[in-house]
Every structure is written in C-alpha cells, then in structure tokens.
Amino acid sequence: MPAQVELSGLLMVLPREPERSATPDTDGAPGMPTGNDVRLVTDDGTSVALDGGALTGARSGDAFTGVLAVDRRVVDELRGTSAPPTTDVGALLGDELDVALTVVTADIDPLTAAAVSPRAHTVDVMYLSTSSSDRPAASAFSKPVSRLSEFWSTQSNGQVSKITRPSAVRFATVKKAIACDPGAAWAYASGRSGFNRTGPSSGDRSSYYWASTRGAHLVVIVPGALCGVGNGLGTIGSVTSGGTTWSSVPTSPSRWDGVVFHEIGHNLGLGHSNLQACAHPRVDAGAGSSTCQQQPYADYYDVMGGGFSAATGHSNDHDIAALNVTHKAALDALPRSGSLRRVAISAGTQQTFTLQAASAASGLRGLEIVDPATSARLYAEYRSGGGRDAGSFYTEYSAHQGARDPMYAPGVRILKFPCTVGTASCESADSLILRNWTGPSTYRMSFAAGDDFVSYRTNSAGSSSVRVSVLSTGASSARVLVSFDSRLPSLQAPSVEITGTPRYYRTLTATSTGAWTSGTTVRYQWLRDGAAIPGATASTYQVTADDADRLLTVRVIGTAPGHARRVVVSPARRASGAWDPVTVSGVVTFPAGASAFDRTGVRVVAYPEGEQPPGAGAPPSTAVNATSGAYSLTGLPPGRWRFAATPGPGEWVGDRERQRDLGTGWHGGALVREN
C-alpha cells in the first residue's frame, strides 16, 4: 500500500514540448506527447512532479496543499540512505528520483488578479551563451520586443495593452548545461547573476514571474546553434499573469518571433495548435475511434503551432499570422456580440454567414458551430492572405508553390477544441485543425470556394451531422453555408429521479430507471429553483444551507455519435433546512505530570468551518472529565468542524487542533493536548 506525504507550495505548469524539427515530415509523428506537466515548487525551492485528475485546469502560480501517494518501497529506500532522518520525503523524491507523485487530495487556491483591462506587461530579457563572441548587440533586442508587444496587444483584443522592457538586456557567458536547460537558465537569469528578483517562493527566484499577477515575464534567449533552433519552453499562466520563457533562436533577430511569441502565448494561458490526423476519409474522431491521433505543432498557420522551414526557403519564424479563432476564443479576445457567432440547429438547418478575414480588426471573424450529434464545438475562420497575414508563411509558400502544393493555401479553416471554452478542462487546451481531403493520400489545411467540410459520417442513413460549404472567397471575406442534418435519430433515455433525503448535508443521487443507448456519454447538472448550481455536475449532490426550502432538480444530458442530443430532467424535490444532529465523543490526553489543578476546568470547543445550517447557533463547548479526559459534544450540525481543548487554570500551551468532516453518524476519537 502506498505511503502518503503532505506537501504544500506553488504549482508550475509547463507544456509538454517534444523537440521540433526544422523540416518536419508532413505526416508528423502521431502519438507524440501532448498536454501539460505540473510541478510543485516548495518554499525552499524543491521541485516535485505531480500527477492526478485534481490538477485539471491548474495554472502556474496556483497555491497547492495536498496529500500525495508515494510507493512505500521508495520511501523506505530513501529513508535508508545517508540523508538525515528529518529530511522531508517529498524533497528527497524531487531531488533524488524526480518521479511524479500521485495527488490523493488537493486544495488548490487559484492565482487570481483583480480585473484589469487593459493590462500592461513587462519583459526582463537575458541572453545566455557559451562565448561572448556570438552575442547580438544590445540594440538588436528593441525591435523584437516591439513586435512582441504589437502582436499580443492586437491578438488579445487589447487585454495585453503593451509589452515593455523596463531594464537593460543582460548578457552572460555560461556552460552549455545551464544555457540549454530551461530550468537552470531561469534560475540563473532570475538569481543574483541576473535580475535578482524575489518571488513568493523564497527558494525559487523565478517565481517572481510565473507565480504573480504583475504581468512580468522572464525571456531567456539562447543561440539556436548551441541548443537547437526553434526549441523553447514557457510556463502556463493567464492573460493577467506573467511567466518564464526560454527560446533557442536563429542568429538573425528578425527571425526570433516564431518561438518567442509562441512561448509568451503559453504564459498567457494558451496550449498548442495541432493537427487532427485521421485515416482517409475521416476528418474527425467519433466516440471510441482509434483512426485519429493528434499530430503536435502541425497547424503551421498559427503561432502556437511548430516551426516549419520548407525546402523552398519559406518559414514561419517571422511575419507571424493572426492567432487562430480557437485560441482567440480561449483568450476571450473575440467578443460574442459581433466577432464570434454561435451556430446551432435551433436557428435552422441551413444558415449562411459572411466571415471577415482572421487578420481583420473587426467584424464577424469566427463561427462556433455546435454539432447536434456530439455537442462538440467546431470553429470556422477565413484566412485571406491579406492584412497582417500578407507576409506570413502560408501566404508566401502557397504563392510560390501554386497548384503544385496547395496544402497551406488561403481559405476557410475548420478547427476544434476537445473541450468547452471557459471550463477548467479547457485551460491551456490544444486546438486541432481538421483536414480537407482532396484524395486518398492528399489533403489541404483549408477549404476553397466550392469545397465542403463534412463531419465524420455518423447515422444509419450515411449522412453527416455538420456540413460547412464555402460559397465564395474574396480579398477580405468569405461566404459560408452551415448545414445540419435534421434526420439524426433520438437517443433511448431512461427516466431520472432524485433519491435520498433532501436535508442539509445529506447526499442525493440521480437514479435512472431504464438505460441509455449504448455508447452514450452522460453529463449531469443539478439545479436550484431551475437555475444551475455552480460546480454541481456529478451524479450525486450534497445538500447545502442555500438549498433550504428550495426546489432541487437534476438535468441529465446524453450525447452519442449519430444521435440527436437528449435531455432528461427529474421531478423536483423540496429541500429542508432541518439537519441531523451529530454526537462527538473523545478523550483529551493530558500531559504527563499534569496536576489535578491543571486538569480542572479544561473544555473542548467546536468551531465551524464553512457554512452553517439554519438554527445552528453559537460554537458549542463541553467540560472535560478531570480524571479520564473524556468529553462528549451533542447536537452538532453535520459539516466541517475544528475542535480545540481550551486551557484550564494551569500554564499549558501549544494546543493541537483536530479537524473532522462530520456526516450523520456517530464520531469518536482522541483529541491530543501537548505541552
């Protein structure tokens, strides 16, 4: 059975960055790692890898306190080393083994900032190399920072108002082991040999950037000839936070933009831009499909994709094109009032729209299409090759290649997120570009006038659930027709009722009678007087004080490929404010040598933590038996309580408190008191 350790500190979230090739195979390497790695940085600077579903949606700088599972054999082995017996097991794991600890329980306090719109960001820039002879001039950094500021200011819709460099660029000659290791480079650049910042973690000075809401970024630049051109790493943050970045760049500062912009994008909370690589003729994956895999970085139109250098000499490391529609949606940089339109079958089975170019500064620039078969969101954008895209890779490459290789031509593009924008599961999610098959082994990344995007075939009639037809394209806009299949069969669905007693702190369950169609994915949402209860999305729900005398229902949503979505709502149950009293008994352990005088008058007091139900009253207390130390508290409401032994007339100090989560049963135990 695994041992458990409790650790606390700050979370550092990093994208999994496979090494990027300067001339990648167009079929890529499906199955390469995607997603994020999460590390816990303790106050003394120890860094421990973490794993577990509780980390979904975490960002750099979030405060973490939790219990972690550790293989007991590993713990025994570590404790048998020459390390002092008081050495923390978590620190040993971080320093010695660097294994990921599984999170058993977690309390994560998100790093948040007051709403500031717009917010100015800053960059501290340091150039590390193994020789002073290959350094660019200090003046060479001004234009890249200016381009960085212009790009993220416009592509965030002004949420990043500007990016400035308040301090002079710093240079240092270091060993390759430091220059080419992002963590070592950040430690050097943020430490006494660099900008010497002080962050929330006293043992990790780079936390000044990645664990704060001041919008400060550490940009470490290293020569690509030393560490591999195009490689980089950046911490995952948000549009209001900062972060650390490490970029291995070409010699010319005019070609730094691709990797530097990309890593700052991670600091702002963005994931990668990948390709949904499916076997012909599929363009997307249905439930349980094994015919599609993500190809990391392969959306070369977008800055959050990978670096691409074609044999023709064209590359995407300069003249960066507009950010794609999915990432703009994630940044909330496309106002839904007119720039991003949700398209659903409820408005008609055929709907026509005029899309402005993705590079435009205003107008309708994105469609969020809700697939009626799966509830997934597809996104449509138009790449015209004009505006800020005029000198970009896809524009220049397609103009050079013409009909010989139209893979990266202008046109309407269809993308998706494997999540719902705005939810925790979508934090730093990777976007996916969907192919336009032109033959059994040939495809394009966009759709020209006359082309149709057809989602994967789903129902028995062989029709599609979503079709996007490109009616026309022009210099600044494209007309598209979105069609939905109205013949999708309905799901078989059970009836649903709420079982359990609707009293405070009791657990209710959404109980089904009957069965869903095979392969159905089911989601739950509990409602109070018809309004969704935030976070109540499991099949069970614990009644709270806010539910007293309110009507509770549960909405169950079923989706399955080839079927129309089905929604089932339970009959309402009225919750009661009444609660079941709990009795807590235990024993206070008196210190050795405590006199009768010391034992007299000691009491145990219960303090509520969190909400209390109606009529709970003041914190209760009870006297402790001066001989046995026994106590018994009756009539407590269920909930989270903290118990403490109060001093008698003696000189005792150092009370130890215990916390308990009280259900509706009897609870006992010992409350220990120490000198």
Side-chain angles (χ1 to χ4, degrees):
M1 181 177 179
Q4 294 185 348
V5 295
E6 182 173 342
L7 289 177
S8 61
L10 300 172
L11 296 180
M12 174 188 278
V13 184
L14 296 164
R16 292 176 186 148
E17 299 267 19
E19 278 198 18
R20 286 177 273 186
S21 170
T23 55
D25 184 342
T26 54
D27 284 333
M32 292 175 72
T34 59
N36 298 327
D37 290 320
V38 181
R39 301 193 69 86
L40 176 66
V41 179
T42 63
D43 190 55
D44 64 0
T46 298
S47 177
V48 180
L50 301 183
D51 186 24
L55 302 171
T56 299
R59 288 175 168 172
S60 295
D62 291 352
F64 174 95
T65 299
V67 175
L68 313 175
V70 188
D71 188 294
R72 190 173 296 277
R73 290 172 300 176
V74 173
V75 175
D76 292 341
E77 178 183 341
L78 287 169
R79 285 176 172 161
T81 67
S82 58
T86 57
T87 298
D88 180 75
V89 173
L92 279 170
L93 286 170
D95 293 340
E96 301 294 335
L97 299 182
D98 199 29
V99 296
L101 306 188
T102 299
V103 177
V104 178
T105 62
D107 182 8
I108 298 177
D109 187 14
L111 175 69
T112 57
V116 177
S117 183
R119 174 181 287 274
H121 289 236
T122 62
V123 290
D124 284 341
V125 182
M126 190 163 197
Y127 189 91
L128 300 179
S129 60
T130 55
S131 171
S132 60
S133 62
D134 58 0
R135 295 176 180 174
S139 60
F141 291 81
S142 296
K143 288 184 178 180
V145 172
S146 178
R147 294 193 299 268
L148 178 71
S149 177
E150 185 277 335
F151 181 84
W152 284 114
S153 175
T154 58
Q155 300 310 294
S156 70
N157 195 33
Q159 294 177 89
V160 176
S161 63
K162 61 181 178 180
I163 300 176
T164 60
R165 177 171 54 83
S167 302
V169 176
R170 301 204 176 189
F171 298 86
T173 300
V174 297
K175 295 180 179 179
K176 182 178 179 179
I178 293 177
C180 297
D181 180 330
W186 292 336
Y188 186 93
S190 61
R192 291 183 174 83
S193 298
F195 292 96
N196 200 25
R197 303 299 193 186
T198 300
S201 173
S202 59
D204 186 344
R205 290 180 178 269
S206 70
S207 64
Y208 171 87
Y209 303 96
W210 57 262
S212 76
T213 57
R214 57 175 56 90
H217 306 260
L218 175 63
V219 176
V220 174
I221 304 290
V222 298
L226 181 67
C227 304
V229 172
N231 290 319
L233 191 65
T235 53
I236 298 289
S238 73
V239 75
T240 59
S241 67
T244 53
T245 71
W246 174 88
S247 301
S248 183
V249 299
T251 302
S252 172
S254 66
R255 308 185 80 93
W256 292 358
D257 294 359
V259 64
V260 173
F261 289 14
H262 176 108
E263 304 309 336
I264 291 292
H266 287 317
N267 286 181
L268 300 179
L270 299 181
H272 288 135
S273 296
N274 301 339
L275 167 68
Q276 183 78 309
C278 304
H280 181 270
R282 278 189 180 270
V283 294
D284 200 3
S289 171
S290 59
T291 62
C292 300
Q293 293 178 295
Q294 287 193 37
Q295 181 180 324
Y297 297 133
D299 181 1
Y300 299 118
Y301 290 68
D302 192 68
V303 71
M304 299 312 295
F308 189 102
S309 295
T312 59
H314 298 90
S315 68
N316 63 355
D317 58 8
H318 61 96
D319 294 298
I320 307 301
L323 192 66
N324 77 34
V325 61
T326 55
H327 289 313
K328 283 186 176 178
L331 284 179
D332 198 23
L334 284 177
R336 291 185 179 270
S337 57
S339 298
L340 179 64
R341 182 83 53 85
R342 178 169 294 182
V343 185
I345 195 172
S346 58
T349 57
Q350 290 194 327
Q351 303 173 51
T352 303
F353 302 92
T354 299
L355 274 175
Q356 302 301 311
S359 56
S362 61
L364 180 62
R365 286 164 282 163
L367 300 178
E368 184 184 65
I369 305 167
V370 183
D371 188 329
T374 64
S375 297
R377 268 64 168 170
L378 299 172
Y379 291 82
E381 67 175 17
Y382 175 50
R383 294 288 181 163
S384 68
R388 76 167 308 117
D389 287 12
S392 68
F393 162 73
Y394 81 88
T395 306
E396 295 292 309
Y397 181 79
S398 61
H400 180 272
Q401 294 294 93
R404 291 175 297 174
D405 184 3
M407 182 178 290
Y408 302 110
V412 173
R413 304 199 322 145
I414 307 297
L415 306 98
K416 67 176 290 187
F417 263 148
C419 54
T420 301
V421 171
T423 64
S425 63
C426 227
E427 297 289 353
S428 68
D430 297 336
S431 74
L432 295 170
I433 180 72
L434 306 184
R435 284 169 167 163
N436 175 14
W437 287 105
T438 57
S441 60
T442 58
Y443 58 89
R444 297 202 307 266
M445 299 295 189
S446 63
F447 294 79
D451 288 348
D452 291 321
F453 164 84
V454 181
S455 64
Y456 58 86
R457 299 184 179 276
T458 54
N459 64 29
S460 57
S463 55
S464 65
S465 55
V466 174
R467 179 184 295 265
V468 180
S469 303
V470 182
L471 304 179
S472 64
T473 59
S476 60
S477 64
R479 291 184 68 246
V480 299
L481 171 66
V482 179
S483 304
F484 296 100
D485 183 359
S486 60
R487 297 174 293 168
L488 293 174
S490 297
L491 282 171
Q492 173 185 311
S495 61
V496 177
E497 64 176 338
I498 297 173
T499 57
T501 303
R503 292 164 67 90
Y504 174 75
Y505 223 71
R506 289 285 188 98
T507 297
L508 305 179
T509 302
T511 302
S512 299
T513 302
W516 290 93
T517 299
S518 177
T520 299
T521 299
V522 176
R523 295 184 290 116
Y524 297 89
Q525 177 63 65
W526 292 81
L527 303 100
R528 179 188 300 125
D529 287 344
I533 302 172
T537 56
S539 60
T540 59
Y541 173 69
Q542 190 174 69
V543 180
T544 71
D546 291 336
D547 298 321
D549 203 33
R550 310 282 286 277
L551 290 175
L552 298 177
T553 54
V554 61
R555 181 169 61 211
V556 186
I557 304 166
T559 58
H563 295 78
R565 188 178 73 155
R566 184 78 178 270
V567 179
V568 181
V569 181
S570 73
R573 300 281 304 276
R574 186 172 294 279
S576 169
W579 40 274
D580 303 301
V582 178
T583 296
V584 178
S585 299
V587 177
V588 171
T589 303
F590 293 105
S595 67
F597 178 75
D598 289 334
R599 294 167 178 261
T600 302
V602 176
R603 300 182 68 81
V604 168
V605 183
Y607 300 96
E609 294 196 342
E611 66 173 10
Q612 286 285 280
S621 68
T622 188
V624 174
N625 186 290
T627 302
S628 65
Y631 67 90
S632 181
L633 276 166
T634 61
L636 271 67
R640 184 77 174 172
W641 288 87
R642 177 166 51 90
F643 299 88
T646 64
E651 298 298 326
W652 295 0
V653 295
D655 294 351
R656 177 181 294 174
E657 300 172 346
R658 291 287 176 89
Q659 293 180 329
R660 295 198 188 131
D661 192 5
L662 303 182
T664 56
W666 179 89
H667 293 259
L671 183 70
V672 180
R673 178 179 177 80
E674 296 179 333
N675 276 328

Coordinates of all heavy atoms in Angstrom, one line a residue, residues 84-132:
P84 N 19.8 12.8 6.3 CA 19.4 12.9 7.7 C 18.0 12.4 7.8 O 17.2 12.5 7.0 CB 19.5 14.4 7.9 CG 20.4 14.9 6.9 CD 20.2 14.1 5.7
P85 N 17.7 11.8 9.0 CA 16.3 11.2 9.2 C 15.2 12.2 9.2 O 14.1 11.9 9.0 CB 16.4 10.6 10.6 CG 17.6 11.2 11.2 CD 18.5 11.6 10.1
T86 N 15.5 13.5 9.3 CA 14.5 14.6 9.3 C 14.2 15.1 7.9 O 13.4 15.9 7.7 CB 14.9 15.7 10.2 OG1 16.2 16.2 9.8 CG2 15.0 15.3 11.7
T87 N 15.0 14.6 6.9 CA 14.8 15.1 5.6 C 13.4 14.8 5.1 O 12.9 13.7 5.2 CB 15.8 14.5 4.6 OG1 17.1 14.9 5.0 CG2 15.6 15.0 3.2
D88 N 12.7 15.8 4.5 CA 11.4 15.6 4.0 C 11.3 14.7 2.8 O 12.2 14.7 1.9 CB 10.8 17.0 3.5 CG 9.4 16.9 3.0 OD1 8.5 16.8 3.8 OD2 9.2 16.9 1.8
V89 N 10.4 13.7 2.9 CA 10.3 12.7 1.8 C 10.1 13.3 0.5 O 10.6 12.9 -0.5 CB 9.2 11.6 2.2 CG1 9.0 10.7 1.1 CG2 9.6 10.9 3.5
G90 N 9.2 14.3 0.5 CA 8.9 15.0 -0.8 C 10.1 15.6 -1.4 O 10.3 15.5 -2.6
A91 N 10.9 16.2 -0.6 CA 12.1 16.9 -1.1 C 13.1 15.8 -1.6 O 13.7 16.0 -2.7 CB 12.8 17.7 0.0
L92 N 13.2 14.7 -0.9 CA 14.1 13.6 -1.4 C 13.6 13.1 -2.8 O 14.4 12.9 -3.7 CB 14.0 12.5 -0.4 CG 14.9 12.6 0.8 CD1 14.6 11.5 1.8 CD2 16.4 12.5 0.4
L93 N 12.3 12.9 -2.9 CA 11.8 12.5 -4.2 C 12.1 13.5 -5.3 O 12.5 13.1 -6.4 CB 10.3 12.2 -4.1 CG 9.9 11.0 -3.3 CD1 8.4 11.0 -3.1 CD2 10.3 9.7 -4.0
G94 N 11.9 14.7 -5.0 CA 12.2 15.7 -6.0 C 13.6 15.8 -6.4 O 14.0 15.9 -7.6
D95 N 14.5 15.7 -5.4 CA 16.0 15.8 -5.7 C 16.6 14.5 -6.2 O 17.5 14.6 -7.1 CB 16.7 16.2 -4.4 CG 16.3 17.6 -3.9 OD1 15.8 18.4 -4.8 OD2 16.5 18.0 -2.8
E96 N 16.1 13.4 -5.6 CA 16.8 12.2 -6.0 C 16.2 11.4 -7.1 O 17.0 10.9 -8.0 CB 16.8 11.3 -4.7 CG 17.5 11.9 -3.5 CD 19.0 12.1 -3.7 OE1 19.6 11.4 -4.5 OE2 19.5 13.0 -3.1
L97 N 14.9 11.3 -7.2 CA 14.3 10.4 -8.2 C 13.5 11.2 -9.3 O 13.4 10.7 -10.4 CB 13.3 9.5 -7.5 CG 13.9 8.6 -6.4 CD1 12.9 7.6 -5.8 CD2 15.0 7.7 -7.0
D98 N 13.0 12.3 -8.9 CA 12.2 13.1 -9.9 C 11.1 12.3 -10.5 O 10.8 12.3 -11.7 CB 13.1 13.6 -11.0 CG 12.5 14.8 -11.8 OD1 11.7 15.5 -11.1 OD2 12.8 15.0 -13.0
V99 N 10.4 11.5 -9.6 CA 9.3 10.8 -10.0 C 8.0 11.6 -9.8 O 8.0 12.5 -8.9 CB 9.2 9.4 -9.3 CG1 10.4 8.6 -9.6 CG2 9.1 9.6 -7.8
A100 N 7.0 11.3 -10.5 CA 5.7 12.0 -10.3 C 4.9 11.4 -9.2 O 4.7 10.2 -9.1 CB 4.9 12.0 -11.6
L101 N 4.5 12.3 -8.2 CA 3.7 11.8 -7.1 C 2.3 12.0 -7.5 O 1.8 13.0 -8.0 CB 4.1 12.6 -5.9 CG 5.5 12.7 -5.4 CD1 5.6 13.4 -4.1 CD2 6.2 11.3 -5.4
T102 N 1.5 11.0 -7.2 CA 0.0 11.0 -7.5 C -0.7 11.8 -6.4 O -0.5 11.5 -5.2 CB -0.6 9.6 -7.5 OG1 0.1 8.9 -8.6 CG2 -2.1 9.6 -7.8
V103 N -1.5 12.7 -6.8 CA -2.3 13.6 -5.8 C -3.5 12.8 -5.3 O -4.3 12.3 -6.1 CB -2.7 14.9 -6.5 CG1 -3.6 15.7 -5.6 CG2 -1.5 15.7 -7.0
V104 N -3.5 12.6 -4.0 CA -4.6 11.9 -3.4 C -5.7 12.9 -3.0 O -6.9 12.7 -3.4 CB -4.2 11.2 -2.1 CG1 -5.4 10.5 -1.4 CG2 -3.1 10.1 -2.4
T105 N -5.4 13.9 -2.3 CA -6.3 15.0 -2.1 C -5.6 16.3 -2.3 O -4.4 16.4 -2.2 CB -6.8 15.0 -0.6 OG1 -5.7 15.2 0.3 CG2 -7.5 13.7 -0.3
A106 N -6.4 17.3 -2.7 CA -5.7 18.6 -3.1 C -6.6 19.8 -2.7 O -7.8 19.7 -2.9 CB -5.4 18.6 -4.6
D107 N -6.0 20.8 -2.2 CA -6.7 22.1 -2.0 C -5.9 23.1 -2.9 O -4.7 23.4 -2.5 CB -6.7 22.5 -0.5 CG -7.4 23.8 -0.3 OD1 -8.0 24.3 -1.2 OD2 -7.3 24.3 0.8
I108 N -6.5 23.5 -4.0 CA -5.8 24.4 -4.9 C -6.4 25.8 -4.9 O -7.6 25.9 -5.1 CB -5.8 23.9 -6.3 CG1 -5.1 22.5 -6.4 CG2 -5.1 24.8 -7.3 CD1 -5.1 21.8 -7.7
D109 N -5.6 26.8 -4.5 CA -6.1 28.2 -4.5 C -5.6 28.9 -5.7 O -4.4 29.2 -5.8 CB -5.6 28.8 -3.2 CG -6.2 30.2 -3.0 OD1 -7.2 30.6 -3.7 OD2 -5.7 31.0 -2.2
P110 N -6.5 29.2 -6.7 CA -6.0 29.7 -8.0 C -5.4 31.1 -7.8 O -5.8 31.9 -6.9 CB -7.3 29.9 -8.8 CG -8.3 28.9 -8.2 CD -7.9 28.9 -6.7
L111 N -4.3 31.3 -8.6 CA -3.7 32.7 -8.6 C -4.6 33.6 -9.4 O -4.9 33.3 -10.6 CB -2.3 32.6 -9.3 CG -1.6 33.9 -9.6 CD1 -1.1 34.5 -8.3 CD2 -0.4 33.7 -10.5
T112 N -5.2 34.6 -8.8 CA -6.1 35.4 -9.4 C -5.7 36.9 -9.3 O -4.9 37.2 -8.4 CB -7.5 35.3 -8.9 OG1 -7.5 35.6 -7.4 CG2 -8.1 33.9 -9.1
A113 N -6.1 37.7 -10.2 CA -5.8 39.1 -10.2 C -7.1 39.9 -10.3 O -8.1 39.4 -10.9 CB -4.9 39.5 -11.4
A114 N -7.1 41.1 -9.8 CA -8.3 41.9 -10.0 C -8.4 42.3 -11.4 O -7.4 42.3 -12.2 CB -8.1 43.2 -9.2
A115 N -9.7 42.4 -11.9 CA -9.9 42.6 -13.3 C -9.3 43.9 -13.7 O -9.6 45.0 -13.2 CB -11.4 42.7 -13.5
V116 N -8.3 43.8 -14.6 CA -7.6 45.0 -15.1 C -7.7 44.9 -16.6 O -7.2 44.0 -17.2 CB -6.1 45.0 -14.7 CG1 -5.4 46.2 -15.3 CG2 -6.0 45.1 -13.1
S117 N -8.3 45.9 -17.2 CA -8.4 45.9 -18.7 C -8.2 47.3 -19.2 O -9.0 48.2 -18.9 CB -9.8 45.3 -19.1 OG -9.9 45.3 -20.5
P118 N -7.2 47.5 -20.0 CA -6.2 46.6 -20.4 C -5.1 46.5 -19.3 O -5.0 47.3 -18.4 CB -5.6 47.2 -21.6 CG -5.8 48.7 -21.4 CD -7.1 48.8 -20.7
R119 N -4.2 45.5 -19.5 CA -3.1 45.3 -18.5 C -1.8 45.4 -19.3 O -1.6 44.7 -20.3 CB -3.1 43.9 -17.8 CG -1.9 43.6 -17.0 CD -2.0 42.3 -16.4 NE -3.0 42.3 -15.3 CZ -2.8 42.6 -14.0 NH1 -1.5 42.9 -13.7 NH2 -3.7 42.6 -13.1
A120 N -0.8 46.3 -18.8 CA 0.5 46.4 -19.4 C 1.4 45.3 -18.9 O 1.4 45.0 -17.7 CB 1.1 47.7 -19.1
H121 N 2.2 44.6 -19.7 CA 3.1 43.6 -19.3 C 4.5 44.1 -19.5 O 4.8 45.0 -20.3 CB 2.9 42.3 -20.2 CG 1.6 41.6 -19.8 ND1 1.6 40.3 -19.4 CD2 0.3 42.0 -19.8 CE1 0.3 39.9 -19.2 NE2 -0.5 40.9 -19.4
T122 N 5.5 43.4 -18.9 CA 6.9 43.8 -19.0 C 7.7 42.5 -19.2 O 7.3 41.4 -18.9 CB 7.4 44.4 -17.7 OG1 7.3 43.5 -16.6 CG2 6.6 45.7 -17.4
V123 N 8.9 42.7 -19.8 CA 9.8 41.6 -20.0 C 11.2 41.9 -19.5 O 11.7 43.0 -19.8 CB 9.9 41.2 -21.5 CG1 8.6 40.5 -22.0 CG2 10.2 42.4 -22.4
D124 N 11.8 41.0 -18.8 CA 13.2 41.1 -18.5 C 13.9 40.1 -19.4 O 13.5 38.9 -19.5 CB 13.5 40.6 -17.0 CG 13.1 41.7 -16.0 OD1 13.0 42.9 -16.4 OD2 12.9 41.3 -14.8
V125 N 14.9 40.6 -20.2 CA 15.5 39.8 -21.2 C 16.9 39.5 -20.9 O 17.7 40.4 -20.5 CB 15.4 40.5 -22.6 CG1 16.0 39.6 -23.7 CG2 14.0 40.8 -23.0
M126 N 17.3 38.2 -21.0 CA 18.7 37.8 -20.8 C 19.2 36.9 -21.9 O 18.4 36.0 -22.2 CB 18.9 37.2 -19.4 CG 20.4 37.0 -19.0 SD 20.6 36.6 -17.3 CE 22.3 37.0 -17.0
Y127 N 20.3 37.1 -22.4 CA 20.9 36.3 -23.5 C 22.0 35.5 -22.9 O 23.0 36.0 -22.3 CB 21.4 37.2 -24.6 CG 21.9 36.4 -25.8 CD1 20.9 36.2 -26.8 CD2 23.2 36.0 -26.0 CE1 21.3 35.5 -28.0 CE2 23.5 35.3 -27.1 CZ 22.6 35.1 -28.1 OH 23.0 34.4 -29.2
L128 N 21.9 34.2 -23.0 CA 22.9 33.2 -22.4 C 23.6 32.5 -23.6 O 23.0 32.0 -24.5 CB 22.3 32.2 -21.5 CG 21.6 32.7 -20.2 CD1 21.0 31.6 -19.5 CD2 22.5 33.6 -19.4
S129 N 24.9 32.4 -23.5 CA 25.7 31.7 -24.5 C 27.0 31.2 -23.9 O 27.3 31.6 -22.7 CB 26.0 32.6 -25.7 OG 26.8 33.7 -25.3
T130 N 27.7 30.4 -24.6 CA 29.0 29.8 -24.0 C 30.2 30.7 -24.4 O 31.3 30.4 -24.0 CB 29.2 28.4 -24.5 OG1 29.1 28.4 -26.0 CG2 28.1 27.5 -24.0
S131 N 29.9 31.7 -25.3 CA 31.0 32.6 -25.7 C 30.5 34.0 -25.9 O 29.4 34.2 -26.4 CB 31.6 32.0 -27.0 OG 32.5 33.0 -27.6
S132 N 31.3 34.9 -25.5 CA 30.8 36.3 -25.7 C 30.9 36.8 -27.2 O 30.4 37.8 -27.6 CB 31.7 37.3 -24.9 OG 33.1 37.2 -25.2

